Amino acid sequence: MTRMGRDFSYTAQRDAVSPVSADVIFASSRFPNYKNRANNNLEDAKLVSMKEEFRNETAQLLDQQNRLSVRDLASKFEKGLAAATKLSDETKLQDVASLEKHVLLENLREALESLRGRAVGKNKDDVESLAFQLTQRESELVQEKAEVKKLASFLKQASEDAKKLVDEERAFARTEIEKARAAVQRVEEALQEQERLSRANGKQDVEELMKEVQEARRIKMLHQPSKVMDMDHELQVLRMQLAEKSKSSLKLQKELAMSRRGEKNAPDFFELDGTESLGSYLEIHPCFDKAPELLECSIQWYRLTCEDGQKCLISGATKPIYAPEPSDVGRVLQVDIISDGLNVTLTTSGPIDPAAGLGNYVEALVRRHDTEFNVVIVQMNGADHPSESIHVLHVGKMRMKLCKDKTTVAKEYYSSSMQLCGVRGGGNAAAQAAFWQPKVGLSFVLAFESERERNAAIMLARRFAFDCNIMLAGPDDRAAQKAT
């Protein structure tokens, strides 16, 4: 189909066909057939004016046709058709017919028919183009749908393959796990069997060794019973003689110290009694009946350094009896007694001696992770404890714990608020008692089974606390040590 352009270049027709007015309305879509009549009474003036009017309107249509769309052309065509119909009716009413007018109308009809064909052809081309695009889009959609189906089938196949692979790997892993469990079970059974055999062999060896040792001891006792008994008796005698000699030596040392101070002729109201070593206690005794009562005197114990003789107050040591603790070893002890203007100062004859074998015992305990000591709670927070049941004090590398059976009474890690020292005062059992403050607001006075156990617990706890960068001491001892 050949599309007609919007540029209507009909020079011959433009001169022959008169323009049609835009407001002319035709009664039908085709022009009527007019018959020539012999009546030529129509005035020439009307024909001339009508030609001019057609010519002007045709020129306006040619000017505006480049700006009109298909829809505008159709509306203009309908308006022109209506105007032509109206003009035909007017012409019928006027009953004016001439050959020139008939030719003019025929030419106008042909022009309008051609214009209508152009508009219909353009619309048809647009419809065909739109139908072609729609067909092309439908084909593309069909192709995309086919590709989507292909992709879905591929994904379905891939998921099925992955599921099969996972199932295979899971089954393989289960078989491997079962094999590993069986191997571990066989190894455990073998180890248990080996351990059982080793225990049986070791137990048998130990029992045989114990039997041999007992047999050797029995044979030795049978052959040398008197010699063993004589050696035990001699050891006891030597210990008694050593204690007596130590007492006499202390007495001589005190007399020598008094003579050196020029106090030989001065009356001695009080004196210190007791062994000057760790594990014993020192007690103040009046020398004659006229001495003041100790209960009415003010008593205070001090530590003296051997280098410069600097005096350090022992907080809480205000009783006539004082049991040296591990901090007093290597230092001289001094006590001041004040009563009604009387001021008496007593000192030990020398530094406090360590307990025999205590250092080796503590070194052996340091190798353990936790050491237990049987104790009895004497006081709790300064008040007497009614129960005398046995508790267990655990001294560990990081903390201390006091418990009874499965009940924990106190448990604290080593810290600056913890305090541990010997009891500073009391009776004859002061050498076996210790003061322990796990934290602020909680304190205990604990009685140990022996002096050795008490001093070992204090030294062991201080050793572990020192490893944790904590200085474990008694009340106000840290301030006194910093001052010195």
Side-chain angles (χ1 to χ4, degrees):
M1 180 182 292
T2 302
R3 179 176 295 180
M4 302 298 292
R6 292 186 178 182
D7 189 6
F8 300 98
S9 55
Y10 298 105
T11 54
Q13 269 187 347
R14 190 178 297 172
D15 295 333
V17 180
S18 300
V20 181
S21 178
D23 55 355
V24 176
I25 298 174
F26 292 92
S28 63
S29 60
R30 59 185 299 277
F31 285 91
N33 295 323
Y34 295 96
K35 296 181 179 181
N36 294 328
R37 296 183 181 180
N39 191 3
N40 292 327
N41 295 327
L42 192 63
E43 296 178 357
D44 293 336
K46 289 183 180 182
L47 292 175
V48 173
S49 63
M50 188 178 296
K51 288 181 180 181
E52 291 294 332
E53 185 177 357
F54 285 163
R55 191 177 288 109
N56 291 332
E57 289 181 358
T58 303
Q60 290 179 1
L61 287 174
L62 291 175
D63 292 336
Q64 293 179 1
Q65 64 183 350
N66 291 326
R67 296 191 302 270
L68 295 177
S69 62
V70 175
R71 185 175 181 181
D72 293 335
L73 289 175
S75 65
K76 290 294 183 180
F77 174 75
E78 294 294 336
K79 291 181 180 180
L81 189 60
T85 304
K86 183 179 180 181
L87 181 59
S88 176
D89 295 337
E90 290 179 355
T91 304
K92 284 183 179 181
L93 293 175
Q94 293 177 359
D95 197 13
V96 177
S98 63
L99 181 60
E100 185 178 1
K101 182 178 180 181
H102 175 70
V103 173
L104 179 62
L105 292 177
E106 288 291 336
N107 292 334
L108 180 59
R109 185 176 64 79
E110 292 177 0
L112 291 177
E113 287 290 342
S114 63
L115 183 61
R116 183 178 179 182
R118 292 173 190 174
V120 171
K122 185 175 182 179
N123 290 336
K124 187 176 181 181
D125 291 341
D126 293 339
V127 171
E128 290 179 354
S129 175
L130 183 60
F132 177 74
Q133 292 179 1
L134 182 60
T135 305
Q136 186 177 4
R137 181 59 179 167
E138 288 179 354
S139 62
E140 291 177 357
L141 290 176
V142 171
Q143 186 177 1
E144 290 179 358
K145 187 175 180 180
E147 292 179 356
V148 169
K149 288 183 178 180
K150 187 185 297 183
L151 182 60
S153 62
F154 176 74
L155 292 177
K156 185 177 180 180
Q157 184 66 27
S159 62
E160 291 178 357
D161 295 340
K163 188 176 181 181
K164 290 180 181 179
L165 182 61
V166 169
D167 293 338
E168 292 176 358
E169 293 294 333
R170 187 176 296 171
F172 179 74
R174 287 177 180 175
T175 55
E176 292 295 328
I177 290 172
E178 293 296 332
K179 292 180 181 179
R181 286 178 179 175
V184 170
Q185 188 174 1
R186 289 195 300 270
V187 172
E188 288 181 353
E189 291 176 356
L191 290 175
Q192 290 175 1
E193 183 67 20
Q194 185 178 0
E195 186 177 358
R196 185 179 61 81
L197 293 175
S198 62
R199 284 181 180 178
N201 294 332
K203 187 176 181 181
Q204 186 177 0
D205 294 340
V206 171
E207 289 178 354
E208 292 178 357
L209 183 61
M210 289 178 64
K211 289 179 180 179
E212 291 178 359
V213 171
Q214 290 176 0
E215 185 68 19
R217 287 179 179 177
R218 188 181 64 81
I219 294 172
K220 185 177 180 181
M221 291 296 294
L222 288 174
H223 287 82
Q224 296 178 348
S226 58
K227 188 175 180 180
V228 175
M229 294 175 65
D230 292 342
M231 290 178 65
D232 292 339
H233 183 67
E234 289 176 3
L235 286 175
Q236 291 179 2
V237 172
L238 288 174
R239 287 172 183 171
M240 293 174 64
Q241 291 178 359
L242 183 61
E244 291 177 359
K245 288 184 178 294
S246 64
K247 287 183 180 180
S248 61
S249 176
L250 289 174
K251 188 175 182 181
L252 290 174
Q253 287 178 2
K254 290 178 183 178
E255 291 177 358
L256 182 60
M258 292 171 63
S259 63
R260 287 178 180 177
R261 291 196 299 268
E263 297 177 353
K264 186 68 178 176
N265 299 324
D268 293 333
F269 293 97
F270 304 99
E271 66 176 357
L272 284 177
D273 187 18
T275 305
E276 297 176 358
S277 63
L278 187 63
S280 62
Y281 64 92
L282 301 175
E283 186 176 2
I284 303 173
H285 286 290
C287 294
F288 51 89
D289 296 337
K290 293 183 179 180
E293 292 290 336
L294 290 174
L295 297 177
E296 298 176 357
C297 299
S298 175
I299 301 173
Q300 181 61 57
W301 292 81
Y302 298 91
R303 297 188 185 98
L304 301 179
T305 58
C306 298
E307 293 80 8
D308 53 2
Q310 189 175 0
K311 186 168 60 175
C312 298
L313 184 142
I314 303 175
S315 178
T318 59
K319 303 294 182 182
I321 297 177
Y322 177 75
E325 62 174 67
S327 298
D328 299 325
V329 175
R331 297 188 179 185
V332 177
L333 295 181
Q334 175 181 317
V335 58
D336 291 344
I337 306 169
I338 302 174
S339 175
D340 296 334
L342 179 64
N343 190 354
V344 179
T345 300
L346 302 176
T347 58
T348 58
S349 59
I352 300 299
D353 297 328
L358 182 61
N360 295 331
Y361 178 58
V362 173
E363 289 297 329
L365 296 178
V366 169
R367 299 186 184 95
R368 301 179 183 178
H369 182 74
D370 184 84
T371 306
E372 299 179 358
F373 298 94
N374 294 328
V375 297
V376 175
I377 299 177
V378 180
Q379 290 183 355
M380 181 175 179
N381 294 331
D384 294 338
H385 198 267
S387 176
E388 296 182 357
S389 58
I390 297 177
H391 293 65
V392 179
L393 178 66
H394 296 265
V395 180
K397 293 184 179 295
M398 300 295 295
R399 66 183 181 182
M400 294 180 66
K401 180 174 68 173
L402 180 64
C403 60
K404 179 184 177 183
D405 297 332
K406 296 183 180 180
T407 304
T408 301
V409 180
K411 180 176 67 174
E412 288 295 331
Y413 289 91
Y414 297 114
S415 62
S416 58
S417 61
M418 183 181 290
Q419 296 178 1
L420 180 64
C421 63
V423 170
R424 297 171 178 179
N428 299 335
Q432 300 180 7
F435 171 80
W436 180 44
Q437 176 183 297
K439 59 183 179 180
V440 178
L442 180 62
S443 62
F444 300 93
V445 174
L446 306 176
F448 290 78
E449 292 180 342
S450 63
E451 296 85 354
R452 185 183 185 186
E453 295 291 318
R454 172 252 205 182
N455 295 322
I458 295 174
M459 294 175 65
L460 186 63
R462 288 178 178 175
R463 176 75 173 272
F464 290 152
F466 182 77
D467 294 340
C468 298
N469 296 325
I470 300 295
M471 185 175 64
L472 194 60
D476 301 330
D477 285 352
R478 296 189 183 93
Q481 291 178 8
K482 291 180 181 179
T484 57

